[in-house]
């Protein structure tokens, strides 16, 4: 068999959507709507570019190149190793995996404790809040570990059951707002009033999906092969189909959540994030049942993403350090993530933003170069364009990441501040273009045998 049926393609596409769609994907679109208000459409377009466009293109670029290692090696083998290592730590036990448990706990369990006034109640030497979070994270990661043990079966487990349930629950929430409108979109916040599209573009970073895309491609390819597709060309083709289906679902779901947020921004005050926005909307539309609905949405979304991340991280590290094997690394990631998740969502998010600012532009440029190389193979981008584009981009993005940590970099901080679009955190774009132009010039002028990667 060299092609999947329409039903199989749909299941693979839904699996990809389920792996991507976690806590951040739920809370950032409605908060975007609240902040952008009447400028929500422009902000939504920018958000789609980094939260949907680049992740799906990333899956395709990785599938075409045969893996992130091969794609990164076009810059330099050392870069490929370091970049992959940082990405897997970011989407793995350091940030993204713990965030799935801490966010779902905040939305599923904490409201119940708060309602009964038990947050600070003593329980077995702990507060009820601390004990409940530990117990919840232990059960959450145990269940995710068990499902992730067979990554080739994720299509049947996520795409067939959990993902359709998640989409149905989100549709119920949107239909409630459609039948009973919450209010009119409010005025945009100051930052969005003048540059809504650019701020939406930056907001898309926080979903972390472009980073995850560089790794999910291999898991999706594994599931496609398990369905009987053996030819590498056919696997890439089916991965592209899966990406298109996932992109269509994302467009609909993100659009619904952004609209809900825009209406909520004009109806409620005092909201500080997307989770509070959805809580207020669910409570107004459905009362107590709305909180149950929202809790289920967050749990399923976070669980799906957690399973996908454990699977792809375990697959990578078992290849890098095979002594533990896939199962052993899955245990390590589940346990370490459980421990870090108990530090709390606020602390995890505090460290995530500087890391994302530093490595996200590199991921975007790498994906763009991979797709350009796919279209024009005769450009020989590998020799100079990849190294120089990534070098120039990295200088700016890493400097911005250090500044987000509160560290000023002598000379570079002032230099980066003078770059075009630096006022909207897109100062890396012009160095990336300049590096590509310089690379093309050198590839043309310097003999073919001269390769900066050697």
């Amino acid at each position: 068999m060299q092609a999947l049926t329409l039903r199989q393609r749909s299941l693979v596409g839904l699996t990809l959507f389920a792996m991507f769609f976690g806590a951040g994907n739920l809370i950032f679109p409605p908060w975007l709507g609240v902040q952008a208000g009447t400028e929500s459409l422009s902000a939504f377009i920018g958000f789609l570019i980094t939260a949907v466009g680049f992740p799906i293109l990333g899956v395709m670029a990785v599938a075409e190149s045969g893996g992130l290692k091969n794609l990164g090696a076009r810059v330099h083998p050392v870069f490929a190793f370091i970049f992959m290592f940082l990405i897997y730590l970011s989407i793995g036990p350091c940030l993204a995996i713990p965030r799935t448990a801490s966010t779902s706990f905040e939305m599923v369990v904490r409201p119940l404790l708060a309602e009964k006034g038990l947050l600070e109640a003593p329980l077995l030497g702990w507060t009820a809040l601390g004990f409940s979070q530990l117990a919840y994270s232990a059960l959450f990661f145990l269940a995710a570990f068990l499902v992730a043990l067979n990554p080739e079966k994720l299509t049947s487990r996520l795409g067939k059951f959990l993902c359709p349930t998640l989409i149905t629950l989100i549709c119920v929430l949107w239909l409630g707002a459609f039948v009973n409108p919450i209010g009119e979109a409010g005025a945009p916040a100051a930052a969005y009033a003048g540059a809504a599209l650019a701020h939406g573009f930056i907001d898309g970073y926080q979903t972390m999906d472009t980073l995850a895309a560089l790794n999910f491609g291999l898991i999706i390819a594994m599931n496609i092969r398990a369905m009987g597709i053996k030819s590498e060309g056919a696997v890439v083709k089916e991965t592209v189909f899966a990406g298109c289906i996932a992109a269509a679902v994302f467009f609909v779901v993100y659009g619904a959540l952004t609209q809900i947020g825009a209406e909520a921004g004009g109806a409620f005050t005092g909201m500080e994030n997307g989770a509070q926005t959805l809580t207020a909307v669910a409570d107004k539309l459905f009362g107590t049942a709305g909180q149950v609905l929202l809790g289920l949405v967050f749990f399923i979304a976070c669980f799906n993403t957690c399973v996908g991340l454990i699977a792809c991280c375990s697959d990578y590290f078992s290849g890098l350090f095979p002594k533990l094997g896939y199962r052993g690394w899955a245990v390590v990631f589940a346990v370490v993530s459980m421990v870090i998740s108990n530090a709390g969502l606020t602390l995890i998010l505090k460290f995530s933003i500087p890391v994302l600012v530093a490595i996200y532009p590199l991921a975007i440029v790498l994906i763009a170069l991979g797709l350009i190389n796919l279209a024009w193979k005769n450009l020989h981008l590998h020799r100079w364009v990849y190294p120089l584009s990534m070098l120039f981009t990295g200088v700016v993005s890493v400097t911005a990441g250090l500044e987000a940590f509160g560290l000023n970099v002598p000379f570079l901080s002032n230099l980066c501040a003078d770059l075009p679009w630096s006022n909207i955190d897109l100062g890396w774009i012009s160095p990336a273009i300049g590096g590509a132009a310089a690379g093309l010039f050198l590839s043309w002028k310097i003999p073919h045998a001269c390769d900066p990667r050697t």
Side-chain angles (χ1 to χ4, degrees):
M1 183 172 74
Q2 293 304 311
L4 298 180
T5 65
L6 179 60
R7 178 177 179 277
Q8 288 175 318
R9 284 177 179 168
S10 299
L11 286 176
V12 175
L14 289 177
T15 301
L16 184 58
F17 170 83
M19 291 168 65
F20 275 127
F21 197 84
N25 308 78
L26 268 172
I27 63 179
F28 294 126
W31 186 238
L32 178 77
V34 171
Q35 294 285 91
T38 54
E39 295 294 325
S40 291
L41 180 58
S42 295
F44 179 64
I45 293 172
F47 184 81
L48 285 179
I49 296 172
T50 45
V52 179
F54 279 110
I56 300 304
L57 292 175
V59 170
M60 298 176 185
V62 169
E64 179 275 332
S65 64
L68 178 56
K69 181 179 179 180
N70 292 338
L71 185 59
R74 294 174 180 176
V75 181
H76 194 281
V78 174
F79 169 84
F81 176 81
I82 295 174
F83 187 61
M84 287 177 68
F85 197 80
L86 289 175
I87 284 183
Y88 276 107
L89 289 180
S90 298
I91 68 168
C94 294
L95 295 175
I97 296 180
R99 191 173 75 176
T100 61
S102 56
T103 302
S104 58
F105 174 82
E106 291 285 335
M107 296 303 299
V108 176
V109 180
R110 188 183 182 115
L112 298 176
L113 296 176
E115 184 180 344
K116 297 181 180 299
L118 297 176
L119 289 177
E120 300 301 325
L123 181 61
L124 300 178
W126 300 56
T127 63
L129 177 62
F131 180 83
S132 299
Q133 185 165 10
L134 178 63
Y136 176 86
S137 61
L139 293 173
F140 182 90
F141 283 113
L142 175 61
F145 162 76
L146 293 174
V147 175
L149 282 181
N150 297 290
E152 74 282 357
K153 296 182 180 179
L154 293 187
T155 294
S156 62
R157 293 173 177 176
L158 300 187
K160 188 179 294 185
F161 299 111
L162 290 178
C163 184
T165 302
L166 173 64
I167 294 173
T168 299
L169 293 174
I170 294 174
C171 286
V172 170
L173 185 63
W174 178 80
L175 285 172
F178 179 78
V179 174
N180 184 22
I182 304 166
E184 297 291 332
Y192 290 83
L197 190 145
H199 280 279
F201 186 95
I202 299 298
D203 287 339
Y205 286 10
Q206 299 188 68
T207 66
M208 300 182 72
D209 283 348
T210 298
L211 303 184
L214 296 173
N215 308 286
F216 283 167
L218 290 181
I219 299 299
I220 290 300
M222 188 185 302
N223 279 260
I224 291 172
R225 292 188 186 98
M227 291 179 168
I229 303 297
K230 303 303 179 184
S231 164
E232 286 304 312
V235 170
V236 172
K237 179 180 177 182
E238 295 299 340
T239 302
V240 171
F241 278 123
C244 292
I245 292 171
V249 178
F250 266 120
F251 177 80
V252 173
V253 172
Y254 280 156
L257 291 172
T258 302
Q259 180 184 345
I260 289 173
E263 293 183 6
F268 306 114
T269 59
M271 296 177 295
E272 298 179 355
N273 53 55
Q276 292 181 7
T277 302
L278 290 177
T279 299
V281 170
D283 184 64
K284 177 178 175 61
L285 294 174
F286 304 107
T288 303
Q291 300 310 309
V292 175
L293 168 69
L294 197 59
L296 286 172
V297 168
F298 269 88
F299 175 80
I300 295 174
C302 292
F303 184 79
N304 288 347
T305 298
C306 183
V307 170
L309 292 175
I310 290 177
C312 70
C313 289
S314 300
D315 182 69
Y316 170 69
F317 277 91
S318 63
L320 199 61
F321 306 104
K323 189 173 182 179
L324 271 181
Y326 178 89
R327 182 183 294 263
W329 279 110
V331 171
V332 169
F333 288 129
V335 173
V336 171
S337 298
M338 183 197 74
V339 173
I340 295 178
S341 71
N342 281 272
L345 179 61
T346 300
L347 187 61
I348 293 172
L349 293 178
K350 178 181 178 181
F351 282 95
S352 68
I353 293 176
V355 173
L356 295 178
V357 168
I359 64 178
Y360 224 93
L362 289 168
I364 291 174
V365 173
L366 186 61
I367 290 170
L369 291 175
L371 294 172
I372 292 172
N373 212 143
L374 175 63
W376 293 286
K377 294 182 182 294
N378 61 336
L379 286 180
H380 303 295
L381 301 184
H382 300 188
R383 283 187 289 141
W384 287 97
V385 175
Y386 275 90
L388 291 183
S389 295
M390 298 300 284
L391 174 63
F392 290 4
T393 303
V395 168
V396 178
S397 65
V398 171
T399 299
L402 292 173
E403 290 175 343
F405 268 122
L407 301 174
N408 186 67
V409 183
F411 177 70
L412 286 178
S413 290
N414 292 333
L415 179 65
C416 293
D418 293 331
L419 291 171
W421 309 305
S422 61
N423 61 316
I424 52 175
D425 298 322
L426 295 176
W428 55 269
I429 293 180
S430 54
I433 296 173
L440 284 172
F441 177 78
L442 290 174
S443 296
W444 172 50
K445 283 292 186 181
I446 296 180
H448 182 77
C450 184
D451 191 330
R453 299 170 299 153
T454 59

